[in-house]
Amino acid sequence: MSYTLKVNGKMQTVDVEADTPLLWVLRDTIGLVGTKFGCGMGLCGACTVHLDGVAVRGCQTPVSSVGAKAVTTIEGVGATEIGAKVQKAWIDHDVIQCGYCQAGQIMSATAFLSKTPHPTDAQIEQAMNGNICRCATYTRIKSAIRQAAGLTPALAEAPAPQQVLADASTGHKA
């Protein structure tokens, strides 16, 4: 069956079965591979995308249920003000380790901050509870969300490393 979807602001027509998960439409049919497959049961959050700004699990959302809702993926979320702040904070706090879950983490954080612009730590923890990070960067994720919400100042850029030179004749550092 043919479906026309608005993905990251662009209309996309796909010919897939009605029960095809949105995740596979995005990855295999449209070619947007930033959204990841994790567990396939909607438990880990790696496949999180937005439908009209609401975070949903792409692996559990049949394409037939999308209708006229706008789909936003990790490839498009940075075009939003909040998405750009979240992505910058992720970089500032060096959140990403292996990176596999991070698209879903960023998508969940962005949807959360859109509804709760000045969250408490408890609200952050509750909102992000359904996103699993195998590298356990949860403390960094929380710090990045706090920065994106303006609750803490942005981290200053790290200073350039200074090269330590030894004076060959004395062995003392210059």
Side-chain angles (χ1 to χ4, degrees):
M1 180 161 214
S2 183
Y3 295 92
T4 301
L5 308 172
K6 185 176 184 180
V7 180
N8 298 330
K10 182 179 174 186
M11 300 308 287
Q12 301 274 351
T13 300
V14 297
D15 189 20
V16 295
E17 297 296 321
D19 62 348
T20 305
L22 181 58
L23 170 65
W24 299 120
V25 171
L26 294 169
R27 289 182 60 81
D28 294 346
T29 307
I30 297 175
L32 296 173
V33 296
T35 305
K36 303 298 186 208
F37 173 79
C39 66
M41 299 183 304
L43 302 173
C44 72
C47 65
T48 304
V49 296
H50 296 173
L51 289 183
D52 281 346
V54 176
V56 299
R57 303 299 199 235
C59 73
Q60 296 292 298
T61 305
V63 69
S64 60
S65 72
V66 173
K69 295 177 184 131
V71 178
T72 305
T73 69
I74 190 66
E75 290 90 349
V77 77
T80 69
E81 181 181 354
I82 295 171
K85 285 180 182 180
V86 169
Q87 287 179 332
K88 180 185 181 320
W90 244 246
I91 293 166
D92 288 354
H93 288 267
D94 197 23
V95 172
I96 299 167
Q97 293 292 308
C98 81
Y100 199 82
C101 71
Q102 295 307 310
Q105 298 275 0
I106 288 169
M107 296 304 290
S108 290
T110 301
F112 167 63
L113 289 176
S114 294
K115 290 186 174 75
T116 311
H118 303 290
T120 65
D121 285 351
Q123 288 173 313
I124 293 170
E125 290 167 11
Q126 172 138 13
M128 299 304 291
N129 191 33
N131 287 80
I132 297 171
C133 175
R134 296 185 90 190
C135 299
T137 63
Y138 298 112
T139 303
R140 293 179 190 179
I141 290 168
K142 186 175 173 182
S143 296
I145 292 170
R146 289 180 52 75
Q147 177 182 314
L151 301 174
T152 56
L155 294 177
E157 287 189 34
Q162 294 182 358
Q163 185 174 13
V164 178
L165 302 174
D167 182 327
S169 63
T170 65
H172 292 86
K173 293 179 184 175

